[in-house]
């Protein structure tokens, strides 16, 4: 979810099977595993979208489900002090 979230961030997640478009969610898929993405609806189709535009949108498939909504995040000092990749 970079640039919103970075590797190493800690998330506070409220367990929920539903979300409102625009919320960041934790979703589980039988094939893809667990992911953190922004929940969107486009023409009635539920999508999981990364804030990084280079990552593709994921369509909900059978077996895809929302397991929680991100309510906050914490960035530990080791993440803040990490140098950006070149």
């Amino acid at each position: 979810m970079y640039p919103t979230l970075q590797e190493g961030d800690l998330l506070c997640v409220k367990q929920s099977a539903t979300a409102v478009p625009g919320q960041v969610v934790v979703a589980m898929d039988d094939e893809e595993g667990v992911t953190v993405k922004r929940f969107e609806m486009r023409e009635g189709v539920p999508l999981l979208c990364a804030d990084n535009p280079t990552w593709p949108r994921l369509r909900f498939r059978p077996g895809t489900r929302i397991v929680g909504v991100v309510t906050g995040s914490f960035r530990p000092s080791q993440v803040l002090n990490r140098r950006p990749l070149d």
Side-chain angles (χ1 to χ4, degrees), residues 1 6-7 16 20 24 28 31 38 40-42 48 51 64 76:
M1 276 295 291
Q6 295 183 20
E7 185 176 338
S16 177
V20 174
V24 177
M28 185 175 259
E31 293 178 28
R38 193 167 301 277
E40 297 290 347
M41 292 289 289
R42 303 270 167 86
L48 296 170
D51 284 356
T64 303

Side-chain angles (χ1 to χ4, degrees), residues 42-86:
R42 303 270 167 86
E43 298 177 7
V45 177
L47 301 169
L48 296 170
C49 303
D51 284 356
N52 183 337
T54 63
W55 286 75
R57 289 182 231 155
L58 302 175
R59 287 177 158 251
F60 269 62
R61 302 185 285 223
T64 303
R65 60 198 174 281
I66 294 172
V67 295
V69 175
V70 176
T71 60
S73 65
F74 173 74
R75 186 158 295 150
S77 61
Q78 63 266 29
V79 176
L80 289 172
N81 295 330
R82 188 171 49 213
R83 294 180 182 260
L85 299 174
D86 292 330

Side-chain angles (χ1 to χ4, degrees), residues 3-4 10 15 19 26 35 44 48-49 53 56 61 63:
T4 306
L10 303 175
Q15 186 176 356
V26 177
T35 188
L48 296 170
C49 303
R61 302 185 285 223

Side-chain angles (χ1 to χ4, degrees), residues 27-40:
M28 185 175 259
D29 183 291
D30 293 338
E31 293 178 28
E32 299 287 330
V34 177
T35 188
V36 177
K37 300 271 190 281
R38 193 167 301 277
F39 176 72
E40 297 290 347

